[in-house]
């Protein structure tokens, strides 16, 4: 008789199960479904990355085990990118660690910092891995704090109680699912809060490079005092449309990074060297005219899609505001988001109910504009139909 460890039973039910079943059923009946559900970019990685990858495949020793902490050239590429992008100086040996995507890093921060029964402060709504993969799977307890629309989805630290055995605070800007960006005040307050309460700040900056117009998201490491408490997690996934390559990086406090390397040495054997080569090439050429032009063009397209969706949703009476960063639109639908999503599915559009990100998301739906512009327009035409049905 096989029985799972108790911690698996503590994971909340899989919110997407019902929807997945419904979606499969529609596909079986031949309904053409437009998915605005998962945050996986349809756009391709820039050519310089795929070329670097194929070149690397022919190199000697490329087939061997990589270092789980990251090859030296990759850690150096990350440190150089941080210097140019944020004017933050990092020691590639002691303050940078490669990750198998940021999700792995976030989950392993839990293993590194939390003892069984410890607590982690987690925003609501949030990317579910903070509460689940990082905290519950470390036999620790998530304590949620709200991100409210009236505060532009910024935390109010004066209202957060730090219970005994709280060790870790997760924060994520540009934010999934709300699309909110951090104010300078939020990052300063987060750093002060963590330093004052002896917490580790795990700052998820996975969307730092998906921003529009002149807005450039910051790094918390730019703030005085941040290095004494912070691990910042980032990734090539959304930066370069490399989600399937699985490569990210953690930077920050030397002791935290050293600990991450220790955990990782027991868990993974590193990211394939050809992937690390491709990612190093991308980071190394990030500020070159050609690559930055290509990335800007991608962002222009994402912005256009967001605007099409915003206008469509406004036409059916919903309030929608285009975000300054991320490819998500977080919309208060004025009813249970899961019910709204079921109606969307019936007209062939998939979106994510806000409750998938926490109780505070109950009346929301998250749309991810990871489909070509013409499909977004088609999705909007379909969405307009459900409103007609509702008012009929
Ligand atoms: C906020 C946030 N952090 C981290 C991740 C994980 O990304 P990856 O593991 O591909 O770097 C995601 C993925 O959607 C995300 O939305």
């Amino acid at each position: 008789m096989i029985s799972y460890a108790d911690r698996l039973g503590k994971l909340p039910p899989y919110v997407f199960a019902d929807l997945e079943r419904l979606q499969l059923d529609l596909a079986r009946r031949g309904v053409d479904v437009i998915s605005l559900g998962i945050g996986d970019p349809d756009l391709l990685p820039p050519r310089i990355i795929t070329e670097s990858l194929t070149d690397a495949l022919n190199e000697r020793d490329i087939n061997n085990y990589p270092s789980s902490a990251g090859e030296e050239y990759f850690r150096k590429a990350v440190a150089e990118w941080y210097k140019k992008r944020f004017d933050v100086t990092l020691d590639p040996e002691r303050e940078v660690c490669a990750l198998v995507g940021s999700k792995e890093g976030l989950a392993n921060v839990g293993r590194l910092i939390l003892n069984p029964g410890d607590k982690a402060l987690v925003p609501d709504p949030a990317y579910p891995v903070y509460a689940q993969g990082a905290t519950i799977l470390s036999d620790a307890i998530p304590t949620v704090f709200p991100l409210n629309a009236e505060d532009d989805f910024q935390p109010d630290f004066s209202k957060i109680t730090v219970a005994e055995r709280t060790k870790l605070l997760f924060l994520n800007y540009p934010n999934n699912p709300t699309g909110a960006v951090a104010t300078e005040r939020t990052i300063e307050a987060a750093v002060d809060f963590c330093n004052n309460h002896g917490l580790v700040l795990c700052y998820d900056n996975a969307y730092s490079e998906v921003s529009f117009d002149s807005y450039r998201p910051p790094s918390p490491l730019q703030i005085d005092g941040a290095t004494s408490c912070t691990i910042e997690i980032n990734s090539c996934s959304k930066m370069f449309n490399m989600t399937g390559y699985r490569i990210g990086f953690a930077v920050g406090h030397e002791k935290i990074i050293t600990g991450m390397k220790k955990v990782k040495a027991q868990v993974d054997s590193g990211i394939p060297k050809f992937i690390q080569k491709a990612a190093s090439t991308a980071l190394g050429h990030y500020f070159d005219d050609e690559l930055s032009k290509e990335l800007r063009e991608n962002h222009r397209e994402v912005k256009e899609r967001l605007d099409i969706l915003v206008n469509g949703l406004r036409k059916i009476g919903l309030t929608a505001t285009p975000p300054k960063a991320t490819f998500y639109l977080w919309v208060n639908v004025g009813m249970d988001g899961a019910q709204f999503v079921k109606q969307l599915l019936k007209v062939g559009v998939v979106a994510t109910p806000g409750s998938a990100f926490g109780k505070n998301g109950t009346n929301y739906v998250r749309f991810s504009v990871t489909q070509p512009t013409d499909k977004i327009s088609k999705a909007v035409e379909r969405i307009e139909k459900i409103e007609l049905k509702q008012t009929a």
Side-chain angles (χ1 to χ4, degrees):
M1 157 93 165
I2 294 167
S3 62
Y4 294 135
D6 292 347
R7 65 182 73 88
L8 253 82
K10 291 182 189 150
L11 289 173
Y14 191 48
V15 199
F16 299 95
D18 256 10
L19 286 167
E20 274 180 0
R21 258 197 305 279
L22 202 54
Q23 190 179 336
L24 251 173
D25 187 44
L26 285 169
R28 267 198 215 108
R29 285 192 276 128
V31 181
D32 144 53
V33 173
I34 301 173
S35 178
L36 307 181
I38 298 169
D40 193 355
D42 60 308
L43 298 166
L44 295 174
R47 233 201 14 224
I48 193 171
I49 297 172
T50 45
E51 280 170 3
S52 165
L53 176 74
T54 43
D55 287 351
L57 283 169
N58 294 315
E59 285 177 23
R60 186 88 191 90
D61 300 333
I62 203 78
N63 55 310
N64 296 121
Y65 281 126
S67 139
S68 71
E71 297 295 310
E72 191 183 356
Y73 54 78
F74 177 68
R75 285 182 279 106
K76 276 190 175 155
V78 170
E80 280 162 21
W81 183 78
Y82 257 80
K83 182 71 194 162
K84 286 192 187 155
R85 171 67 176 86
F86 299 112
D87 196 20
V88 167
T89 305
L90 296 167
D91 177 344
E93 187 57 38
R94 296 178 299 121
E95 294 172 325
V96 180
C97 168
L99 299 173
V100 191
S102 49
K103 187 180 194 175
E104 175 262 307
L106 293 164
N108 277 330
V109 166
R111 268 153 211 70
L112 175 68
I113 303 295
L114 301 169
N115 283 316
D118 281 348
K119 299 190 179 82
L121 285 162
V122 175
D124 176 0
Y127 181 55
V129 174
Y130 313 139
Q132 299 172 23
T135 307
I136 294 177
L137 283 185
S138 302
D139 296 328
I141 304 159
T143 311
V144 295
F145 61 90
L147 300 182
N148 296 319
E150 54 273 26
D151 301 326
D152 293 328
F153 302 107
Q154 310 293 308
D156 182 346
F157 287 103
S158 70
K159 292 191 181 145
I160 300 177
T161 318
V162 181
E164 232 177 275
R165 300 195 59 183
T166 303
K167 299 273 176 63
L168 188 57
L169 169 81
F170 287 97
L171 218 52
N172 159 231
Y173 293 100
N175 186 261
N176 173 18
T178 66
V181 298
T183 62
E184 210 176 310
R185 175 77 207 113
T186 291
I187 301 184
E188 280 169 2
V191 167
D192 283 351
F193 185 81
C194 288
N195 278 328
N196 291 340
H197 293 281
L199 309 179
V200 167
L201 170 62
C202 179
Y203 191 95
D204 180 358
N205 216 348
Y207 294 87
S208 73
E209 304 315 298
V210 186
S211 67
F212 314 117
D213 306 320
S214 59
Y215 178 67
R216 307 291 280 149
S219 157
L221 299 176
Q222 292 168 308
I223 301 282
D224 281 347
T227 31
S228 53
C229 62
T230 305
I231 174 168
E232 179 177 346
I233 307 258
N234 208 325
S235 163
C236 296
S237 285
K238 324 283 170 162
M239 203 182 278
F240 300 118
N241 305 322
M242 286 170 72
T243 48
Y245 284 56
R246 310 309 304 140
I247 183 160
F249 39 93
V251 301
H253 193 293
E254 179 186 347
K255 188 166 176 192
I256 311 176
I257 298 299
T258 304
M260 281 297 278
K261 290 177 185 167
K262 197 169 174 182
V263 172
K264 285 173 58 60
Q266 299 291 334
V267 177
D268 68 75
S269 295
I271 302 125
K273 287 193 247 178
F274 39 90
I275 305 285
Q276 295 197 52
K277 285 258 159 139
S280 304
T281 302
L283 291 167
H285 288 271
Y286 189 82
F287 302 95
D288 292 0
D289 284 350
E290 202 180 322
L291 182 54
S292 53
K293 199 169 144 218
E294 207 170 332
L295 295 173
R296 261 203 315 277
E297 177 50 31
N298 283 348
H299 298 156
R300 194 205 52 72
E301 172 149 1
V302 172
K303 174 88 170 78
E304 185 184 329
R305 296 172 181 184
L306 285 164
D307 289 342
I308 293 171
L309 190 56
V310 163
N311 290 334
L313 293 171
R314 282 180 183 164
K315 268 195 213 150
I316 62 165
L318 293 172
T319 305
T321 313
K324 283 189 182 162
T326 79
F327 36 69
Y328 300 120
L329 200 59
W330 182 241
V331 184
N332 187 334
V333 290
M335 61 185 281
D336 180 5
Q339 291 303 321
F340 191 89
V341 162
K342 281 187 183 160
Q343 294 194 46
L344 284 177
L345 264 181
K346 288 183 187 146
V347 294
V349 176
V350 178
T352 309
S355 53
F357 305 95
K359 280 204 183 77
N360 255 359
T362 303
N363 285 343
Y364 285 82
V365 169
R366 190 198 75 174
F367 295 89
S368 169
V369 294
T370 43
Q371 294 284 342
T373 308
D374 59 330
K375 282 216 173 170
I376 304 283
S377 303
K378 208 165 170 188
V380 165
E381 284 167 24
R382 293 181 182 184
I383 293 168
E384 284 174 13
K385 281 193 205 136
I386 62 162
E387 185 60 15
L388 291 175
K389 263 194 214 154
Q390 271 182 342
T391 51

